[in-house]
């Protein structure tokens, strides 16, 4: 068998990591609910990779057996913001010691759903684990006018997905997202990193049998980090989905099933 080539490390683009404020409306359009999360732009035309449970009420309702989700509500849009030009990702050693944050002042863009994976033929376990979605920036938010943003950029910064390789157990992974907890969370966002290592990679039990569906890592991932990109050697390899209660076991959906289900 030919030897697999080693994956060379590439830089992470901080300007491609986004804060999301997703607005859901009731059937009569009178009431609304809001969910907050993270994501990363993966193409220069503004496609964002994020967690499906942030944007698809039916998915989270089914995956939680009816315990969670804005049942009956529909996603209106997600407001999107990212760091200013010039912001760079801190080194891993700095994240471990002081974990500096980068402020995002406002969310100037609007995104809507671009792609949800078709779950036909998947087992119930695989459907619940496939917590990944694509949304696309399509216009300006209400905040944009307030802060003087009048046009969409010609192209967006993007991070690169890796669809042909994954880390092994104990290899280091890093994620960047917008953890909740600050007193002004929801109106002000702070981007922070989190470093950990892979515990194991889990396969599916039916359609994705023996294929990597979920990446289990030991790392801190509190609320607001849902949808954060999981990086290995600078490449996006997964999307942070959930964590076990009272532990640092974090779970991310591998991007490999997403790539396989994308229209050819």
């Amino acid at each position: 068998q030919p030897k697999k080539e080693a994956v060379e490390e590439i830089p992470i683009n901080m300007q491609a990591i986004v804060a999301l404020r997703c607005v859901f409306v009731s059937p009569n359009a009178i009431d609304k609910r809001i969910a907050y999360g993270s994501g990363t732009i993966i193409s220069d035309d503004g496609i964002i990779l994020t967690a499906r449970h942030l944007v698809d009420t039916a998915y989270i309702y089914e995956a939680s057996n009816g315990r969670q989700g804005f049942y009956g509500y529909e996603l209106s849009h997600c407001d999107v913001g990212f760091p200013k030009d010039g912001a760079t990702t801190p080194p891993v050693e700095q994240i471990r010691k002081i974990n500096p944050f980068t402020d995002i002042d406002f969310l100037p863009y609007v995104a809507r759903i671009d792609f949800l994976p078709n779950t036909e033929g998947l087992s119930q376990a695989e459907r619940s684990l496939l917590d990944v979605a694509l949304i696309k920036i399509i216009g300006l938010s209400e905040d944009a006018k307030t802060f003087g943003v009048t046009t969409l950029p010609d192209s967006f910064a993007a991070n690169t997905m890796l669809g042909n390789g994954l880390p092994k157990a104990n290899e280091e992974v890093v994620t960047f997202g917008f953890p909740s907890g600050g007193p002004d969370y929801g109106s002000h966002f702070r981007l922070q990193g989190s470093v950990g290592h892979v515990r194991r990679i889990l396969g599916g039990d039916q359609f994705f049998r023996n294929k990597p569906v979920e990446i289990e890592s030991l790392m801190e991932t509190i609320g607001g980090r849902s949808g954060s990109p999981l990086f290995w050697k600078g490449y996006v390899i997964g999307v942070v989905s959930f964590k076990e209660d009272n532990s640092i076991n974090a779970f991310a959906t591998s991007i490999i099933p997403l790539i396989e289900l994308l229209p050819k």
Side-chain angles (χ1 to χ4, degrees), residues 62 118-130 202-213 257 260-261:
E62 178 187 2
N118 185 341
T119 57
E120 288 180 18
L122 275 60
S123 70
Q124 184 174 355
E126 289 172 337
R127 287 199 303 273
S128 66
L129 294 176
L130 204 62
L202 306 173
D205 60 359
Q206 189 167 295
F207 186 85
F208 288 114
R209 185 183 299 276
N210 299 323
K211 293 184 179 180
V213 175
E260 187 164 327
L261 294 172

Side-chain angles (χ1 to χ4, degrees), residues 52-66:
R52 187 167 185 167
H53 77 256
L54 282 176
V55 298
D56 183 358
T57 54
Y59 166 81
I60 186 60
Y61 191 78
E62 178 187 2
S64 66
N65 293 318

Side-chain angles (χ1 to χ4, degrees), residues 56-125:
D56 183 358
T57 54
Y59 166 81
I60 186 60
Y61 191 78
E62 178 187 2
S64 66
N65 293 318
R67 294 190 302 272
Q68 299 176 25
F70 306 144
Y71 187 70
Y73 286 67
E74 292 293 330
L75 179 71
S76 167
H77 65 277
C78 294
D79 296 320
V80 182
F82 41 80
K84 295 174 180 152
D85 292 346
T88 57
T89 52
V92 165
E93 296 75 18
Q94 195 176 26
I95 296 172
R96 285 201 175 101
K97 288 178 182 175
I98 60 173
N99 204 359
F101 60 80
T102 299
D103 282 313
I104 289 189
D105 299 325
F106 68 109
L107 309 184
Y109 305 116
V110 164
R112 292 203 168 95
I113 289 174
D114 185 74
F115 177 77
L116 298 176
N118 185 341
T119 57
E120 288 180 18
L122 275 60
S123 70
Q124 184 174 355

Side-chain angles (χ1 to χ4, degrees), residues 18-246:
V18 299
L20 298 175
R21 179 172 57 213
C22 296
V23 180
F24 297 81
V25 294
S26 60
N28 58 16
I30 293 174
D31 190 24
K32 69 178 182 181
R33 305 282 180 87
I34 295 178
Y36 299 99
S38 309
T40 185
I41 300 173
I42 56 168
S43 65
D44 62 8
D45 61 346
I47 299 289
I48 296 168
L49 176 71
T50 189
R52 187 167 185 167
H53 77 256
L54 282 176
V55 298
D56 183 358
T57 54
Y59 166 81
I60 186 60
Y61 191 78
E62 178 187 2
S64 66
N65 293 318
R67 294 190 302 272
Q68 299 176 25
F70 306 144
Y71 187 70
Y73 286 67
E74 292 293 330
L75 179 71
S76 167
H77 65 277
C78 294
D79 296 320
V80 182
F82 41 80
K84 295 174 180 152
D85 292 346
T88 57
T89 52
V92 165
E93 296 75 18
Q94 195 176 26
I95 296 172
R96 285 201 175 101
K97 288 178 182 175
I98 60 173
N99 204 359
F101 60 80
T102 299
D103 282 313
I104 289 189
D105 299 325
F106 68 109
L107 309 184
Y109 305 116
V110 164
R112 292 203 168 95
I113 289 174
D114 185 74
F115 177 77
L116 298 176
N118 185 341
T119 57
E120 288 180 18
L122 275 60
S123 70
Q124 184 174 355
E126 289 172 337
R127 287 199 303 273
S128 66
L129 294 176
L130 204 62
D131 189 6
V132 62
L134 299 178
I135 62 177
K136 184 175 183 179
I137 296 173
I138 50 89
L140 301 178
S141 71
E142 293 180 5
D143 288 349
K145 300 162 193 172
T146 305
F147 286 87
V149 177
T150 57
T151 59
L152 289 176
D154 293 332
S155 66
F156 293 91
N159 283 307
T160 303
M161 296 196 300
L162 182 68
N164 58 357
L166 287 174
K168 297 183 174 62
N170 297 316
E171 286 200 72
E172 188 176 80
V173 286
V174 62
T175 186
F176 288 92
F178 298 85
S180 59
D184 53 358
Y185 182 73
S187 60
H188 195 85
F189 298 87
R190 295 175 177 88
L191 176 60
Q192 280 189 301
S194 185
V195 180
H197 64 269
V198 174
R199 287 193 67 190
R200 56 180 177 164
I201 295 177
L202 306 173
D205 60 359
Q206 189 167 295
F207 186 85
F208 288 114
R209 185 183 299 276
N210 299 323
K211 293 184 179 180
V213 175
E214 190 171 57
I215 304 164
E216 182 182 350
S217 306
L218 286 174
M219 65 163 43
E220 178 274 316
T221 51
I222 63 173
R225 287 191 182 273
S226 288
S228 299
L230 184 70
F231 292 99
W232 174 58
K233 296 191 174 183
Y235 290 92
V236 180
I237 60 165
V239 178
V240 172
S241 175
F242 70 99
K243 64 166 286 188
E244 287 182 348
D245 291 338
N246 305 313

